[in-house]
Amino acid sequence: MNATAGTSSASAPNSAPCAHDYSAVVERALGALDLDTKARLLSGQDMWSLPAVPAIGLRSLVMSDGPIGVRGRYWSAEDPSVALPSPTALAATWDPELARRAGHLLAQEARRKGVHVLLAPTVNLHRSPLGGRHFECYSEDPLLTGVIGAGYVRGVQEGGVGTTVKHFVGNDAETDRFTVDNRIAARPLRELYLAPFEHIVGHARPWGIMTAYNKVNGTTMTEHHRLVTEVLRGEWDFDGCNVSDWTAARHTVRALRGGLDVAMPGPRTVFGAPLATAVRAGEVAESEVDAAVRRVLLLAARAGALDGAPPAVDPAGVPRGIDGRAVARELARRAVVLLRNAPAERAPEGGGARPVLPLDAATLRKVAVIGAAARDARVLGGGSATVFPAQIVSPLAGLRAALPDDVEVVFATGADPRTRVPHARDGFTLTARYLAADGRLLAQTPQFDGRVQALGSFPDGVTQRDLHAVELTGSFTPRTSGTHTLTVAGTGRLRLTVGDAVLFDGEGAKLAGADPFEAFMQPGEHRISAELSAGQELPLTLRFVPHSLGLGEGMDALNFALGHSEPQLDDDAEIAEAVRAAAGADAAIVVVATTEEVESEGFDRTDLRLPGRQDELVARVAAANPRTVVVVNSGSPVEMPWRDEVPAVLLSWFPGQEAGAALADVLLGAHEPGGRLPTTWPARLADAPVTTVTPTDGTLDYAEGLFIGYRAWQRTTVAPAYPFGHGLGYTDWEYECVDTTPDSVRVRVRNTGDRAGREVVQIYLAPTGDTSDAPERPARWLAGFATVEAGPGESAETEIPLPGRAFEIWSEPDGGWRRIPGAYAVEVGRSSTDLRLTARVTAE
């Protein structure tokens, strides 16, 4: 057996950051700078970097988005990135060591791409299931979020690359995210929303924090002196650099005095020249500028970008040679949550029918794989976390590769959830050519698919001044004959030529939508029908002459796309074909998914339904085949009205580039699904305790206080579809005994099944006795967890620390944490509702 406690600090490898004293080298560099240079160092020089100052040996610090993959300075397929599963998937592993290993891989990717600082992790909470960007966050629980986030930060920084933990604080929804004023009372602010940041600062010492767009209690976060200077830096002793979210800094003096160090992106921000002017006008002191510059220089020193300063991590000890595909595959299968696993048919009285999963390949002759997401996998969340992997293994491809050759695999679309046509990929060979007005070729890059985009940096050789047009050119060989659908999208002039025929020549749809980033990422599309023959290779070119995007002066940005879908039957016929395929198969695997139109950065969801007719598809396939397995491909909760009608339901989140390979590992039993829910899944949106994400008159009141997630569900009479912490495996566990001390819990469990397995032991704390004089608290809260592994018949023991904070509340009258003495139940179990053992502990 082995066990890992989720609340313990990971042991530090040789690559652990050293506690260097950089004060002398930082002061020497600072003393050589004039006011204008110092002010310039606090402002991005472009979308992703800070300026270099060769005179003091300072190189340009490069930043990049990186929750699931490191994009680098160029948002294109020219330099592919490893694409890991979504952060919700990482949290579903309940394994900080695996998060740390993911961080090692991302640091390796960052070094390869010349990136010094990752703009990650995102540790805002799942306050409401409607939050549109929850796939990029971890959990509804602050402890789980903090522990996984700390593992991620340790891993990245052990690789010599900085992190900026974001978005500090209260950026828990997307609606009006630039302006919303989130009103959060003192206790929930401290006990919930600040708690993950506090844990990560205390346990992983991040080199950076990113402050959010929103206000908290009336003050914009980039100007929030109380939370940044007094709490983050003062109480928590954070010594790193505070970077604004992109375009979040709005006022020169208030931002500097609020504790902001760097305003991004450049070249024009509230710092730089406006800051130097403010100093000369006597509005701020130069010493205030110096304090921010010191923190920027410290970040550069830690990242190895300042001469004379040894990097925080010895290069000889940095983890190297990590197989990105292997890590992506392991993380994806470890994150899969088995929500339900019943026998295909009810067993006779006294019988022992086995659950449907894992599938036994030796008994299969024909398998039906159904759903558009099975062939065109959605492996990433939408928005700024998007990267371009070198390859994607779809569920269909993964199963075909894993099953024996004598097993027939048939595919049917069934129901396509997308309202937009997917980007052209299969059958296309594409290149992007960047052209000057005189036709001169400025640059040429290979394409992963039919989307051409840049944000902050064009390819080498291309400038905003010289760029006139971009041509997406290459060839297309259809796989099937019939009426194909092609689409063009982009803010500018578009001309599509296929063969020798011009199929579209006109203006693209204009930007629309309240969030500029959303409008940039998803411009309107024009659809064109084309009769094409299978196997006939056709040359094609989509020429795009961009218009101004309105995303900011000096910002290198463009986004246009060629989409394609193969000939399809009408919706009724597609579902009927899927039902026929399922009826004739030994097992049916239905993959359902959300899309970028309903779950992405820039907007919140309006409901939790699967888009399109996917619910109908599942119900009809399940009626046709009793051995139906449904794979849910979403970043956060969806309603599953059919969940009791199918024997097996798996949750794969957004599973990254190795999606299909990992899914096949789990379905066929090579590995068991190891995930547990990091967030409660409601049966219906109407049952969810917190559903308000839209501000009223610019204000969003967190009126629920402490009661979000499972804390809130405990106060309702309605049970969720699946509780926080839920997840099944391919073996069974008996919880044998629990022993407690005032600061730890020791648990022994036994694997009573017939195969090796992994269990997540969860510890909840619940106050007991007379609480009439105690402040209001949840019925129970997560106090610790550990993962254990054991073979069949073996037992495993784990000791889980009970942190002192678990017994404390934030006392606003006292202005600090207050321990609540008394008796507590220590509840040990498999989820927040499946509690197997209970002990008592007394807090003095």
Side-chain angles (χ1 to χ4, degrees), residues 565-658:
S565 64
E566 292 189 324
Q568 293 183 343
L569 304 171
D570 63 49
D571 291 348
D572 289 337
E574 289 283 8
I575 291 179
E577 182 181 56
V579 171
R580 284 193 296 272
D586 298 311
I589 314 297
V590 185
V591 183
V592 295
T594 60
T595 68
E596 289 193 8
E597 294 93 80
V598 299
E599 189 180 7
S600 185
E601 178 181 351
F603 57 91
D604 291 311
R605 293 194 283 174
T606 57
D607 59 56
L608 302 183
R609 294 190 297 271
L610 286 168
R613 296 173 64 179
Q614 294 181 101
D615 287 332
E616 178 187 350
L617 172 67
V618 171
R620 291 183 59 181
V621 168
N625 190 321
R627 293 175 60 82
T628 294
V629 178
V630 181
V631 180
V632 181
N633 190 187
S634 69
S636 49
V638 295
E639 295 176 0
M640 295 177 285
W642 34 260
R643 66 186 184 280
D644 294 330
E645 301 171 19
V646 297
V649 182
L650 288 166
L651 172 58
S652 64
W653 312 100
F654 297 143
Q657 68 177 63
E658 299 299 315

Side-chain angles (χ1 to χ4, degrees), residues 399-413:
L399 281 165
R400 281 179 168 159
L403 286 167
D405 292 340
D406 61 351
V407 177
E408 181 185 2
V409 178
V410 296
F411 171 75
T413 300

Side-chain angles (χ1 to χ4, degrees), residues 108 281 662:
Q108 176 178 282

Side-chain angles (χ1 to χ4, degrees), residues 464 468 490-493 507 509-511 520 544-555 557-559:
Q464 193 176 63
H468 173 70
T491 305
R493 185 80 181 183
E507 291 291 322
K510 295 182 179 180
L511 291 174
F520 167 71
F544 176 63
V545 180
H547 296 336
S548 172
L549 290 166
L551 291 177
E553 183 180 351
M555 186 177 292
L558 65 84
N559 182 24

Side-chain angles (χ1 to χ4, degrees), residues 69 160 198 257 296 410 449 515 603 703 744 750:
E198 183 181 10
R257 289 194 166 152
V296 172
V410 296
D449 59 18
D515 189 309
F603 57 91
S744 70
R750 182 177 299 278

Side-chain angles (χ1 to χ4, degrees), residues 264-520:
M264 292 296 290
R268 292 185 180 272
T269 77
V270 299
F271 288 169
L275 180 56
T277 299
V279 173
R280 293 188 174 104
E283 297 174 5
V284 293
E286 189 168 352
S287 60
E288 295 175 89
V289 176
D290 289 349
V293 174
R294 285 188 183 93
R295 289 187 283 266
V296 172
L297 293 173
L298 176 59
L299 176 60
R302 286 169 163 164
L306 180 62
D307 287 350
V313 176
D314 182 357
V318 166
R320 301 178 189 277
I322 303 169
D323 185 336
R325 290 185 61 188
V327 172
R329 184 170 180 169
E330 180 182 359
L331 203 164
R333 67 190 178 218
R334 288 275 298 276
V336 170
V337 180
L338 181 58
L339 296 175
R340 174 177 168 82
N341 192 21
E345 297 173 351
R346 189 175 300 277
E349 190 71 25
R354 294 181 63 85
V356 164
L357 293 178
L359 299 173
D360 182 358
T363 66
L364 300 175
R365 293 295 175 264
K366 185 176 184 179
V367 174
V369 180
I370 295 167
R375 182 182 60 193
D376 304 316
R378 186 183 182 193
V379 300
L380 306 169
S384 59
T386 302
V387 295
F388 295 97
Q391 65 172 25
I392 289 175
V393 182
S394 70
L396 178 61
L399 281 165
R400 281 179 168 159
L403 286 167
D405 292 340
D406 61 351
V407 177
E408 181 185 2
V409 178
V410 296
F411 171 75
T413 300
D416 194 331
R418 297 166 296 201
T419 58
R420 297 174 66 92
V421 172
H423 300 132
R425 185 184 304 167
D426 291 339
F428 290 81
T429 302
L430 300 170
T431 299
R433 304 176 72 245
Y434 295 77
L435 305 172
D438 60 4
R440 180 167 40 94
L441 181 65
L442 303 173
Q444 182 168 297
T445 62
Q447 283 295 120
F448 173 72
D449 59 18
R451 172 187 278 186
V452 181
Q453 63 183 23
L455 185 60
S457 298
F458 288 141
D460 291 339
V462 181
T463 66
Q464 193 176 63
R465 183 187 67 251
D466 293 336
L467 181 64
H468 173 70
V470 185
E471 289 184 348
L472 179 64
T473 186
S475 64
F476 172 45
T477 304
R479 295 182 296 188
T480 58
S481 298
T483 304
H484 291 245
T485 299
L486 297 168
T487 63
V488 296
T491 305
R493 185 80 181 183
L494 294 154
R495 179 184 174 93
L496 175 63
T497 305
V498 178
D500 55 4
V502 176
L503 301 186
F504 181 85
D505 190 355
E507 291 291 322
K510 295 182 179 180
L511 291 174
D515 189 309
F517 185 81
E518 175 194 353
F520 167 71

Side-chain angles (χ1 to χ4, degrees), residues 112-253:
R112 180 175 66 82
K113 289 173 175 276
V115 169
H116 301 96
V117 179
L118 287 187
L119 306 173
T122 305
V123 298
N124 300 113
L125 296 186
H126 296 181
R127 171 180 169 265
S128 163
L130 291 176
R133 201 175 179 180
H134 282 347
F135 61 86
E136 197 179 314
C137 311
Y138 290 130
S139 171
E140 67 189 27
D141 182 77
L143 177 64
L144 178 59
T145 297
V147 170
I148 298 298
Y152 176 103
V153 168
R154 278 196 299 268
V156 172
Q157 294 186 174
E158 286 166 0
V161 175
T163 57
T164 54
V165 187
K166 63 184 187 182
H167 307 87
F168 189 78
V169 60
N171 185 185
D172 309 298
E174 294 293 280
T175 302
D176 295 345
R177 60 177 174 162
F178 296 104
T179 58
V180 62
D181 181 8
N182 293 321
R183 298 299 177 114
I184 313 173
R187 275 195 67 195
L189 181 60
R190 289 284 189 153
E191 295 181 27
L192 296 179
Y193 302 102
L194 286 171
F197 293 94
E198 183 181 10
H199 183 97
I200 293 169
V201 168
H203 289 79
R205 309 306 301 174
W207 299 350
I209 291 281
M210 180 188 291
T211 39
Y213 294 118
N214 53 276
K215 299 176 183 178
V216 170
N217 299 332
T219 303
T220 298
M221 279 310 306
T222 52
E223 303 169 7
H224 214 303
H225 183 274
R226 168 64 183 148
L227 292 182
V228 173
T229 302
E230 296 180 19
V231 175
L232 174 64
R233 290 204 174 108
E235 294 179 23
W236 302 349
D237 196 29
F238 171 69
D239 67 350
C241 188
N242 175 13
V243 180
S244 77
D245 204 342
W246 267 225
T247 73
R250 297 168 182 127
H251 191 276
T252 300
V253 175

